Amino acid sequence: MSDDPFSPTEPLTIENPEIFDGPEPVPDELLEKAVKKVQAVVKGNGMRGLQVALADFEGEILRFETYEVYKMDPQTAEKRVNGKQNGEVVGSATDMKSKMNALLERVTENVDVKKNIIELMKKRPDLGFALENQTIALDAFNKTFVVHELCTSCSGARALACGMCHGDGRATCHRCKGAMLVECPLCQGHRTISAGGGRKTCTKCNGKGRAGCPVCRGRGVTPCKNCKGTGKLPCQPCGTTGWHSLIGSLVVKAKCSFWYDKEALVVAEEAPDLPPLIDQLGAEMVTDQHAYITIIEDEARLKELDREVKGDEFKIPYKVRLPWGDISFRLKDRIIKGRLFGLHPELVHMDPFLEEPLFPGLRLLDEAARAPGDAAAKLKEAAPYRAIGEAVVLSARLNPTKAYEAFAKRYPFGLKLETMQKMLISAQITLRNITKKPRRIGLIMGMLLNAVLMGAFYALPLRPQLYQYIPALPLQALLDIVLLVLCMGLVWLIIQSTATSALHQALAHLLPPEKRQGLTPKPGKTGWLGLGLSASLWLGMVPLSYQAGQAAPAWFDLLMSVL
């Protein structure tokens, strides 16, 4: 078992409730775990964990029922598709509708539906507990009916007669128009051709003036282009299957809602704050094992519940065994009170007992947030209070939202919400105060370095020598832009480096070196100021070098000539 009482652990195993005639007591081991949780919160926060002891506990393991109410929501649908589809074949659309209606009536009364839901819920990690406004698919009771209908277009032949050739597969030749003969291409119909200064009978048509059609080869017809000579075309209405299927589908679903007698629970246990906790956790009551929760499968109980609901509804009962009670701890000479909840256990509605012992540390943290020049020293004075140190480290590592979530997880009780929020805000301001002066120093160092680099580039003969190897004007301008980007990057990195060094030094008493490696603050507004100043310096350096008699960049000469 982990030494951290807040780490995920197996819930406590408690005895079978059947052996208890009256109220079922909460085991001592569970109370010991509660004491250890308080000791863990107290330790290092102005007190020692051993100063915590159990003062009193009044409670028991509550036993009550909750219910998931399922309302049947069967849905029907019809569609027509091509081909013979699978399903229970019926004779007609009328038969299909009557069968679906009969099945709809039976499915709401089918006892197997309830058994099926119970089996489905038992396979879920949450057992289906506390489901609200969800729909459960009951695929085992889905049904598909089908009516097979012969295609009225092709009568099952899968093809239709070609409309162009009327099923013959042949079309009249477009050249000879069905005459099988055309004008002789040699004599153009004159029957004679020139020969030796005279004329003779055409050798192509033998003097007839007409010859066989070359397109249809004298047949008068050609294969139909539309059907490729087959005389048939695929039947589009049925997709060449010859059949249609009218499909009727019954999809069985159930809508569920969570219910239990909250008023009776509040009155019986005098626990008005218990139902809100159960409702807030919902399915986590099972998945996080806050309670022993099982589905009641006793048939007599299920039949009894059937009489309490409508005909299309049924209840699935759950047996809940939940440790609950008023608990108090002795902390030095004071008593702190709260409620024990669940098997882990959780301590809720606890007195904010850490406020008083943490007060000196909170005051120092507030002073660190208000005094920028002395922030690191004040933080070092407040750091012995563990909660203060953890708030500072989380603020350095995470964004405000995630830092608050992590801090609330470490201190689920003992501090008011507004106190935790104020601690984290003060920690964030303190960290900014610690790095404010180093950021400015980094800005000055970066700008001095930029001035040296830009001055050397534009005042010394290095730039004209480089330009000799880069005759293209755009490339020369690109070189100047590269220098600007380099200088902007340098000032950004220097600001970040000085801030990081100051932050690591301020947190040295809270974190070992290896855990400080990932703590790199952003340059923030100082970084953006450095980028702007670098760009301004660059824009001013070019005309200054020009006025000082240095050769200006060609792109600058071009700009001046335009202006």
Side-chain angles (χ1 to χ4, degrees):
M1 181 180 292
S2 172
D3 293 333
D4 182 2
F6 297 105
S7 64
T9 59
E10 289 295 323
L12 183 65
T13 301
I14 54 181
E15 299 181 50
N16 192 316
E18 305 302 331
I19 66 175
F20 299 102
D21 294 330
E24 184 178 355
V26 172
D28 292 340
E29 185 180 348
L30 199 63
L31 301 178
E32 291 173 4
K33 291 180 69 173
V35 172
K36 288 181 180 180
K37 285 196 170 187
V38 178
Q39 289 175 340
V41 168
V42 165
K43 185 179 179 181
N45 286 311
M47 294 175 289
R48 292 181 291 111
L50 295 178
Q51 294 174 317
V52 178
L54 180 67
D56 188 30
F57 177 74
E58 292 183 6
E60 61 183 277
I61 295 178
L62 305 181
R63 290 177 284 182
F64 57 96
E65 284 188 4
T66 65
Y67 310 93
E68 280 296 325
V69 182
Y70 291 88
K71 182 178 179 60
M72 299 302 297
D73 184 31
Q75 300 173 0
T76 60
E78 291 185 9
K79 64 179 180 178
R80 191 182 300 275
V81 297
N82 294 332
K84 282 188 173 183
Q85 303 298 324
N86 295 326
E88 182 177 328
V89 180
V90 295
S92 65
T94 303
D95 292 340
M96 183 178 69
K97 289 182 179 179
S98 63
K99 284 181 173 289
M100 290 180 66
N101 290 333
L103 187 58
L104 275 173
E105 294 179 3
R106 292 198 305 269
V107 77
T108 56
E109 302 174 358
N110 192 343
V111 295
D112 291 334
V113 173
K114 186 182 299 183
K115 293 180 181 179
N116 182 263
I117 288 183
I118 289 176
E119 291 303 317
L120 287 175
M121 296 304 104
K122 286 165 64 176
K123 293 177 182 178
R124 291 173 57 115
D126 60 6
L127 296 179
F129 182 83
L131 298 182
E132 187 68 38
N133 296 323
Q134 294 191 28
T135 300
I136 305 298
L138 303 174
D139 296 337
F141 299 94
N142 293 349
K143 190 73 174 180
T144 300
F145 298 97
V146 61
V147 179
H148 292 153
E149 302 171 334
L150 198 64
C151 178
T152 56
S153 298
C154 66
S155 300
R158 303 183 181 182
L160 301 172
C162 177
M164 185 173 290
C165 66
H166 305 289
D168 186 52
R170 299 177 298 173
T172 301
C173 177
H174 68 279
R175 176 74 183 277
C176 67
K177 311 301 181 186
M180 297 182 286
L181 298 173
V182 295
E183 182 183 79
C184 177
L186 185 59
C187 66
Q188 283 82 43
H190 297 296
R191 302 183 181 184
T192 60
I193 58 176
S194 300
R199 299 188 70 80
K200 67 174 184 177
T201 301
C202 176
T203 57
K204 177 72 174 177
C205 61
N206 294 324
K208 297 178 181 178
R210 295 172 68 81
C213 176
V215 174
C216 63
R217 297 182 181 180
R219 297 187 180 92
V221 293
T222 58
C224 176
K225 293 182 179 179
N226 192 38
C227 64
K228 305 296 188 295
T230 63
K232 298 180 179 180
L233 292 175
C235 180
Q236 298 298 331
C238 67
T240 69
T241 64
W243 293 88
H244 298 290
S245 291
L246 178 62
I247 300 176
S249 301
L250 174 65
V251 179
V252 182
K253 298 180 179 180
K255 293 182 178 179
C256 56
S257 59
F258 181 58
W259 183 87
Y260 61 101
D261 195 338
K262 299 179 183 179
E263 292 184 5
L265 185 61
V266 169
V267 172
E269 308 301 336
E270 298 181 357
D273 44 359
L274 180 56
L277 286 172
I278 296 174
D279 295 340
Q280 180 182 355
L281 290 170
E284 293 179 8
M285 288 282 291
V286 178
T287 56
D288 291 349
Q289 298 178 301
H290 290 284
Y292 279 122
I293 299 176
T294 56
I295 299 175
I296 299 175
E297 301 183 61
D298 180 65
E299 291 188 8
R301 180 60 178 146
L302 294 176
K303 289 181 180 179
E304 181 183 347
L305 292 173
D306 287 341
R307 294 192 289 269
E308 300 177 2
V309 295
K310 299 177 182 179
D312 61 345
E313 296 179 343
F314 55 87
K315 286 183 177 180
I316 302 295
Y318 292 80
K319 181 190 295 182
V320 180
R321 296 169 63 206
L322 174 66
W324 171 260
D326 296 317
I327 192 168
S328 59
F329 304 89
R330 185 176 299 280
L331 182 58
K332 286 188 176 180
D333 55 350
R334 58 181 294 200
I335 298 296
I336 55 177
K337 298 179 179 181
R339 297 288 184 107
L340 180 143
F341 175 87
L343 296 170
H344 287 293
E346 304 294 337
L347 296 175
V348 297
H349 306 301
M350 292 284 288
D351 294 335
F353 58 89
L354 281 181
E355 304 272 334
E356 183 179 340
L358 276 180
F359 179 77
L362 294 173
R363 179 174 50 79
L364 289 169
L365 181 62
D366 184 62
E367 291 176 0
R370 295 172 182 273
D374 201 24
K378 293 291 185 182
L379 179 60
K380 189 172 183 179
E381 289 183 55
Y385 295 90
R386 184 165 59 89
I388 304 293
E390 289 177 337
V392 172
V393 171
L394 289 173
S395 297
R397 289 188 181 279
L398 306 172
N399 64 48
T401 301
K402 291 185 177 180
Y404 177 78
E405 291 174 355
F407 193 62
K409 188 175 181 180
R410 296 188 185 189
Y411 290 90
F413 54 84
L415 289 170
K416 297 178 182 178
L417 293 180
E418 53 267 28
T419 301
M420 289 195 291
Q421 293 170 348
K422 184 178 179 181
M423 288 173 65
L424 292 169
I425 292 173
S426 296
Q428 293 160 11
I429 296 174
T430 299
L431 293 174
R432 286 200 296 268
N433 289 341
I434 290 172
T435 58
K436 182 180 293 185
K437 185 176 179 180
R439 290 174 202 266
R440 293 174 179 174
I441 294 173
L443 175 63
I444 295 172
M445 292 171 58
M447 292 308 301
L448 288 174
L449 180 59
N450 282 352
V452 171
L453 289 175
M454 291 184 186
F457 184 76
Y458 288 106
L460 298 177
L462 174 64
R463 178 175 50 80
Q465 292 177 5
L466 288 174
Y467 283 173
Q468 292 178 3
Y469 298 98
I470 309 175
L473 183 61
L475 293 179
Q476 292 181 7
L478 179 62
L479 181 62
D480 289 324
I481 293 174
V482 169
L483 174 65
L484 171 62
V485 173
L486 175 63
C487 291
M488 293 172 74
L490 281 174
V491 73
W492 184 274
L493 290 175
I494 291 173
I495 292 171
Q496 190 172 52
S497 177
T498 53
T500 300
S501 176
L503 181 63
H504 285 196
Q505 185 176 355
L507 299 182
H509 56 286
L510 295 175
L511 292 172
E514 62 274 10
K515 291 189 177 181
R516 298 198 300 268
Q517 296 302 316
L519 298 179
T520 304
K522 295 179 180 179
K525 293 181 180 179
T526 308
W528 292 108
L529 177 62
L531 298 183
L533 291 175
S534 297
S536 300
L537 180 64
W538 179 78
L539 290 173
M541 189 65 69
V542 175
L544 283 175
S545 64
Y546 178 74
Q547 293 177 2
Q550 296 294 329
W555 61 267
F556 182 76
D557 289 334
L558 178 61
L559 178 63
M560 294 300 294
S561 65
V562 171
L563 296 176

